[in-house]
Amino acid sequence: MATFVLVPGMCHGGWSYEPLTERLRQRGHRVYPLTLTGLSERGHLLNAGVNLETHVQDVVGVLEVENVEDAVLVGHSYGGMVITGAADRVPERVGSLVYLDAVVPRHGDSCWTLVSDQERAWYMDVTDSGHAVRPLPFFDPRATPHPLASLLQPIQLSDDLGRFRRRDYVYAAGWAGESPFTPVYQRLRDDPTWTTHALDSRHNLMRDAPDELLKILLNG
């Protein structure tokens, strides 16, 4: 049986993986749906110092404390930054990486540098404290403000992702408008070291395409 560590996107918690979590556990797999520091039920930990490195350490801590080996790290949207950093820190505990309509950073990238001007405008809609970005109006009611520093901090990587046996990218092809992840998908689709998938789904793949995602995860 595999061990899956599920990392949500901006403003979301481990609850965003609920349909997928249940399906994986019913099949006997270990599953850790994480809520990152400063978000959702861990929102009381939000402060100006919560950054990308904090979130990377959230994942590393679970891998180490739970003594996980050969983990499948799954990251949605912003979660792609986090699983990339965690895999780089403890590659001996990671076997596979699965990106769900997510950013795939290289050394020195940040969410700020990777997204469009429209996304940057959203990032500037901060709470009164100035520490966090407000959820978009159409997000799940459980969504909470996201730590701003985690979007601005460049990722520090010591190696590329080629050392892992499996790297999947799942593209949501059902955006109402232009998807900001299309360039990422097109780049990786032409790279023989990646396996890419396109699903007729909106950005929230876990909610809108759990059955298709389950097949992808279990076929790795």
Side-chain angles (χ1 to χ4, degrees):
M1 294 292 102
T3 300
F4 294 89
V5 178
L6 311 178
V7 180
M10 278 182 64
C11 303
H12 289 66
W15 48 263
S16 64
Y17 280 98
E18 282 171 359
L20 192 60
T21 297
E22 284 305 308
R23 286 167 169 82
L24 288 169
R25 286 177 174 164
Q26 287 169 1
R27 287 158 177 79
H29 300 287
R30 295 171 71 193
V31 188
Y32 296 93
L34 303 189
T35 293
L36 301 171
T37 299
L39 290 145
S40 197
E41 71 271 20
R42 305 185 68 203
H44 61 289
L45 300 175
L46 176 63
N47 61 63
V50 175
N51 57 23
L52 175 60
E53 191 58 35
T54 309
H55 290 166
V56 168
Q57 189 55 46
D58 285 339
V59 178
V60 170
V62 168
L63 294 175
E64 293 180 339
V65 170
E66 299 294 341
N67 197 27
V68 175
E69 297 179 354
D70 203 30
V72 181
L73 300 187
V74 182
H76 177 241
S77 198
Y78 162 77
M81 297 289 295
V82 181
I83 67 170
T84 301
D88 184 74
R89 301 298 186 280
V90 286
E92 69 280 4
R93 295 189 178 274
V94 178
S96 304
L97 298 168
V98 183
Y99 294 78
L100 306 181
D101 218 33
V103 290
V104 181
R106 298 183 176 99
H107 175 74
D109 285 337
S110 67
C111 271
W112 179 266
T113 64
L114 291 174
V115 302
S116 66
D117 289 341
Q118 182 177 5
E119 293 271 320
R120 293 189 188 105
W122 171 32
Y123 291 179
M124 292 298 96
D125 181 22
V126 297
T127 59
D128 292 343
S129 70
H131 300 163
V133 178
R134 302 178 198 275
L136 290 171
F138 54 83
F139 279 4
D140 188 290
R142 292 171 288 182
T144 54
H146 187 94
L148 176 62
S150 71
L151 308 174
L152 304 179
Q153 184 180 27
I155 194 168
Q156 304 299 312
L157 302 175
S158 62
D159 205 344
D160 62 30
L161 303 179
R163 68 187 116 168
F164 302 103
R165 70 167 187 272
R166 175 190 179 195
R167 293 180 295 167
D168 280 54
Y169 192 89
V170 186
Y171 173 63
W175 279 66
E178 182 179 354
S179 167
F181 299 101
T182 300
V184 182
Y185 169 65
Q186 291 175 337
R187 171 170 61 87
L188 299 181
R189 184 181 57 189
D190 296 330
D191 186 336
T193 67
W194 284 79
T195 301
T196 58
H197 317 263
L199 300 183
D200 185 16
S201 170
R202 291 173 293 178
H203 181 54
N204 193 336
L205 290 155
M206 301 88 70
R207 180 192 63 203
D208 298 337
D211 293 330
E212 292 89 341
L213 279 185
L214 182 66
K215 291 176 184 176
I216 290 170
L217 293 175
L218 297 183
N219 285 336

